[in-house]
Amino acid sequence: MAVVTFNTIQIGAKRTSLVARIAHFIKLFAKSPSNWISLRIAANIMHDTKFIEQQITLVKQMDDEQVKKGMAFIQSMLPELVKMDNAIEKIQNPALSIAFRQHELAVYDLEAKLHLKQTEHLPVIPTDPELREALHYATVISLNSHL
């Protein structure tokens, strides 16, 4: 069984930030979907996506300190994802766009799993019945007005 440390996630994410740093370089050379540079970068993004998906399965084995470090790292990585999203959107390359969307979903899924692991020990506070009823009626009225 593999020993889970957050360093393995950081090592894999360094390649992701490298891709984010060269995203502006892609704009110059990714003019067509068949360009070998854009295909190579899409393959690297997919490789990183598979790595993150593997790390998602290891979140259950992490202790509280590793989860805390992971959440901090993911929060610091989100601005890089936004920059990369903007760069890929300007390129309008379907291969890169598809690869990045899958990568983005994997990162957000990892963030969600880390958040669940971080808050699993907190007690569940029941919702006030009056608040639930008010939300229900607000939803019904909203749906009726939009139909």
Side-chain angles (χ1 to χ4, degrees):
M1 181 168 218
V3 176
V4 180
T5 63
F6 192 70
N7 291 335
T8 57
I9 295 174
Q10 288 177 332
I11 289 170
K14 285 182 183 177
R15 285 184 275 149
T16 303
S17 63
L18 174 64
V19 174
R21 280 184 259 143
I22 64 169
H24 69 279
F25 175 77
I26 301 169
K27 287 188 262 186
L28 301 173
F29 297 101
K31 301 296 182 193
S32 69
S34 62
N35 191 339
W36 69 272
I37 293 176
S38 61
L39 293 176
R40 176 71 178 165
I41 292 173
N44 286 341
I45 291 173
M46 291 304 293
H47 184 269
D48 291 344
T49 302
K50 289 178 185 174
F51 176 79
I52 290 173
E53 288 171 352
Q54 291 171 351
Q55 296 305 311
I56 290 171
T57 61
L58 300 176
V59 169
K60 293 178 184 176
Q61 302 169 3
M62 290 182 179
D63 63 0
D64 290 338
E65 186 63 31
Q66 291 171 335
V67 170
K68 191 175 183 180
K69 287 180 183 177
M71 283 297 290
F73 182 74
I74 293 291
Q75 292 299 324
S76 69
M77 195 173 86
L78 291 179
E80 294 295 322
L81 278 178
V82 172
K83 289 178 188 176
M84 191 171 171
D85 185 23
N86 293 337
I88 289 177
E89 188 175 308
K90 290 178 185 175
I91 295 169
Q92 297 178 354
N93 188 320
L96 279 174
S97 181
I98 290 170
F100 180 72
R101 294 294 169 240
Q102 291 176 351
H103 180 74
E104 199 172 30
L105 287 173
V107 169
Y108 288 132
D109 192 25
L110 176 62
E111 180 189 20
K113 298 290 183 185
L114 286 170
H115 181 73
L116 283 175
K117 179 72 174 176
Q118 190 176 30
T119 59
E120 71 184 0
H121 66 282
L122 297 176
V124 177
I125 301 171
T127 306
D128 184 27
E130 292 178 6
L131 179 61
R132 259 195 272 160
E133 186 175 331
L135 287 173
H136 171 73
Y137 286 124
T139 304
V140 169
I141 291 170
S142 175
L143 285 175
N144 286 338
S145 66
H146 286 96
L147 293 177

